[in-house]
Amino acid sequence: MNSSADTAAVPGQARRLVLEATDLRRTFTSGSRLHPTRVSAVDGVSLQLHAGEVLGIVGESGCGKSTLARMLVGLEKPDGGSLAYHGTDVTRGRMSDRRLLRRGVQMIFQDPYTSLDPRMTVGDIIAEPMAATRSANAADRRARVAELLGLVGLAPDMVNRYPHQFSGGQRQRIGIARALALDPDVLVCDEAVSALDVSVQAQVINLLADLQARLGVAILFIAHDLSVVRHLADRVAVMYLGRIAEIGDTDTVYSSPAHPYTQALLSATPSHSRSDRGKLARRRILGGEPPSPVNPPAGCRFNPRCWMATDECRTLEPLLRTLGARDVSCHHAEDALAQAVMAG
């Protein structure tokens, strides 16, 4: 997917800012009152999502992707920072502003087997958001449900069936239809295809791309499969231990990554192209596991696993800064980028 296609899909709106997170933070506390353990799941994340845009979020398990997603749809309240929807701060102030966020930003969950109520028919599942918000009468809800089923490639006569009568891919299509029921302008997909077979994944990804082009909806697509994100996203953000390591245009980040962690992630991505196979000898192999978010390292959080780490990296936290067509949080981003360009 490319920017020109998005501009055509949403004339005059392609760069309108829809959702803006500024320094979002979320900390969880466990253990006893006397000895609490604090885990910083998201620690100062800032990003923007524009109308008609697909923004991919990638990173290892436990880096804070899902917590970030839940804050963006209003399911988790941030401890710090702010979230603006169409320019209105929805983390503070009026309940009516938060209701607008919940209507306009909808989530597609990871597991289609547990995200649908097994006791409800498909028709009731898709109609539930409309009934809860009283946005349509019964007749209009039935018509809208039939329309949505057709939109996601399911027959309208399936309306009275139950979730157990569908395959995993069909269930995820039902979840997508439910997310579209209130006509949102943002879809947050939290690992929405990771529980599906590879062939079914491709079908659902193509469906999301088609819906984005037809409806002009913005998509924040969270995944651990970098090849999927490259196919779908206009921009990509790489997260590591609760923070953004690199964010920028997808082609730029994938072809010339400027953060060592991004380079390592891309190096570990399987590829069948001849040019990429030639780079196997130069692959970056990360050692160990990510540090614990309970006790993150000083300085750059990636420094214990980074082959470019210096004393500066171990003591001074790098800030996200602009480098070419991306933002990157690395003291030695220029050197890392030069290495990436030489390797390419």
Side-chain angles (χ1 to χ4, degrees):
M1 186 171 297
N2 54 55
S3 299
S4 60
D6 296 335
T7 304
V10 227
Q13 297 185 23
R15 297 305 299 170
R16 178 170 53 87
L17 186 59
V18 178
L19 203 61
E20 182 174 23
T22 305
D23 198 30
L24 279 186
R25 300 173 184 273
R26 184 68 172 100
T27 300
F28 297 97
T29 303
S30 61
S32 66
R33 290 185 178 182
L34 293 177
H35 303 285
T37 299
R38 292 180 175 83
V39 179
S40 182
V42 175
D43 190 9
V45 167
S46 298
L47 55 81
Q48 296 180 335
L49 185 66
H50 297 86
E53 177 186 37
V54 182
L55 173 62
I57 308 285
V58 300
E60 294 170 284
S61 297
C63 71
K65 302 188 301 294
S66 292
T67 301
L68 175 62
R70 293 176 66 84
M71 286 194 287
L72 294 178
V73 298
L75 292 177
E76 291 279 357
K77 187 176 181 180
D79 301 320
S82 64
L83 176 64
Y85 176 61
H86 288 290
T88 300
D89 187 346
V90 295
T91 50
R92 303 170 183 83
R94 298 178 299 178
M95 178 62 73
S96 59
D97 293 332
R98 292 194 286 275
R99 290 196 190 103
L100 288 176
L101 174 76
R102 291 167 185 161
R103 288 179 63 105
V105 183
Q106 292 287 312
M107 179 176 278
I108 301 168
F109 295 92
Q110 176 177 1
D111 190 350
Y113 294 93
T114 60
S115 61
L116 304 179
D117 190 331
R119 297 166 296 181
M120 297 175 67
T121 66
V122 165
D124 288 340
I125 288 171
I126 298 174
E128 186 177 26
M130 293 180 280
T133 56
R134 301 178 182 178
S135 56
N137 59 37
D140 289 340
R141 290 199 297 269
R142 286 193 294 271
R144 178 64 171 157
V145 167
E147 177 189 2
L148 289 167
L149 283 171
L151 193 63
V152 299
L154 296 176
D157 61 8
M158 294 178 171
V159 67
N160 292 317
R161 297 184 187 180
Y162 288 86
H164 73 270
Q165 297 175 283
F166 294 87
S167 67
Q170 289 174 322
R171 293 187 196 195
Q172 198 59 297
R173 290 172 184 264
I174 295 166
I176 294 171
R178 176 179 60 186
L180 292 172
L182 296 178
D183 197 23
D185 47 16
V186 177
L187 291 179
V188 176
C189 303
D190 185 16
E191 299 276 10
V193 298
S194 63
L196 306 175
D197 292 338
V198 174
S199 61
V200 180
Q201 284 185 15
Q203 296 171 15
V204 174
I205 291 165
N206 289 335
L207 172 63
L208 289 170
D210 179 62
L211 291 172
Q212 189 277 332
R214 292 173 62 182
L215 305 177
V217 64
I219 298 177
L220 190 134
F221 189 84
I222 295 172
H224 62 268
D225 189 332
L226 275 74
S227 59
V228 169
V229 172
R230 185 171 197 172
H231 171 74
L232 189 64
D234 303 299
R235 291 190 301 129
V236 60
V238 180
M239 285 189 67
Y240 186 81
L241 212 62
R243 295 179 179 172
I244 289 181
E246 186 168 1
I247 181 170
D249 172 81
T250 300
D251 289 339
T252 299
V253 172
Y254 275 71
S255 62
S256 55
H259 196 288
Y261 177 61
T262 309
Q263 294 178 5
L265 279 184
L266 293 173
S267 180
T269 303
S271 175
H272 299 290
S273 73
R274 181 175 299 176
S275 61
D276 285 349
R277 283 200 304 269
K279 300 175 186 176
L280 288 175
R282 295 188 294 273
R283 281 191 168 176
R284 301 294 186 182
I285 307 300
L286 288 182
E289 298 292 329
S292 170
V294 175
N295 185 28
C300 175
R301 296 191 172 190
F302 186 58
N303 84 77
R305 306 170 76 192
C306 182
W307 58 91
M308 298 185 69
T310 62
D311 289 341
E312 181 184 23
C313 304
R314 288 182 276 271
T315 56
L316 183 62
E317 176 186 335
L319 300 177
L320 202 63
R321 58 190 175 93
T322 300
L323 179 62
R326 97 288 304 291
D327 291 339
V328 58
S329 58
C330 175
H331 294 303
H332 307 297
E334 288 82 0
D335 292 337
L337 178 59
Q339 292 182 11
V341 171
M342 290 178 61

